[in-house]
Amino acid sequence: MKAKVLTPRSKFLEIECVKCKERIIVFDKASTLIKCENCGEEIVIPSGGHAYIIGKVLRVLD
Ligand SMILES: [Zn+2]
């Protein structure tokens, strides 16, 4: 399923680190690199508008 990118509002996403399974809440338009607090693995990389998510998205928080 493709995620819609035209949503007017920004969201928070619950991401699971692919390395250590730590769960992290991130902003879907993060403008800075976000790393796992537990193991330091990169979770979100900023890419202009929407952030590029490396971890597994568990759910979207409104
Ligand atoms: Zn981790």
Side-chain angles (χ1 to χ4, degrees):
M1 195 178 94
K2 259 191 172 179
K4 278 190 179 175
V5 292
L6 295 174
T7 42
R9 293 186 301 145
S10 298
K11 293 167 292 191
F12 285 92
L13 307 171
E14 186 176 27
I15 312 287
E16 184 182 84
C17 174
V18 291
K19 221 174 179 181
C20 72
K21 310 295 183 191
E22 179 84 356
R23 290 180 180 192
I24 299 148
I25 306 290
V26 302
F27 189 46
D28 78 337
K29 284 177 183 153
S31 55
T32 54
L33 182 70
I34 295 171
K35 291 183 178 180
C36 175
E37 290 174 8
N38 189 46
C39 73
E41 183 78 356
E42 291 173 358
I43 305 293
V44 177
I45 294 177
S47 64
H50 269 252
Y52 179 63
I53 311 232
I54 295 170
K56 179 180 166 191
V57 179
L58 296 175
R59 63 197 174 109
V60 177
L61 310 166
D62 266 318

